[in-house]
Amino acid sequence: MSSSPVHDPGWEQAAVEHVVDRLQERYEGVPTEIVETVVRRAHAEFDGPIRDFVPLLVEKAARGRLDELQRRVAVDSAPTDRALVQAPPVPA
């Protein structure tokens, strides 16, 4: 009788490493250290006894956080847009 991969102690860690790899590809502009940190923090939040879906839940949580990070960085790195909003109106 073979054991399920879920019951293999290294299975979850390997699955989380694959999450890191996928998210690094998806968020190319985000430094690797940030992606790894976000995934590790998301993984740490799942400490219950049922582990079957933890990698999927980690990926979903990490994607949401990285999407928010990218949105904030895009807003912060758009000074021309902010300058246009803050510029005084042009006299007619």
Side-chain angles (χ1 to χ4, degrees):
M1 179 179 214
S2 67
S3 70
S4 161
V6 174
H7 294 67
D8 174 5
W11 174 86
E12 184 173 308
Q13 189 57 42
V16 171
E17 291 300 323
H18 288 295
V19 169
V20 170
D21 294 341
R22 282 193 300 275
L23 294 180
Q24 284 176 334
E25 288 179 15
R26 181 175 177 156
Y27 299 95
E28 293 176 2
V30 177
T32 300
E33 300 80 29
I34 299 293
V35 173
E36 290 173 346
T37 299
V38 168
V39 170
R40 302 267 180 270
R41 287 182 180 171
H43 185 232
E45 293 173 4
F46 297 98
D47 62 355
I50 299 175
R51 311 300 300 171
D52 296 8
F53 300 103
V54 167
L56 293 173
L57 297 170
V58 167
E59 185 166 0
K60 181 176 174 146
R63 264 196 335 248
R65 292 171 188 168
L66 290 166
D67 285 342
E68 177 65 19
L69 177 66
Q70 269 192 331
R71 186 190 66 72
R72 287 183 183 185
V73 168
V75 168
D76 290 344
S77 66
T80 53
D81 292 315
R82 232 183 282 134
L84 288 174
V85 171
Q86 295 173 354
V90 178

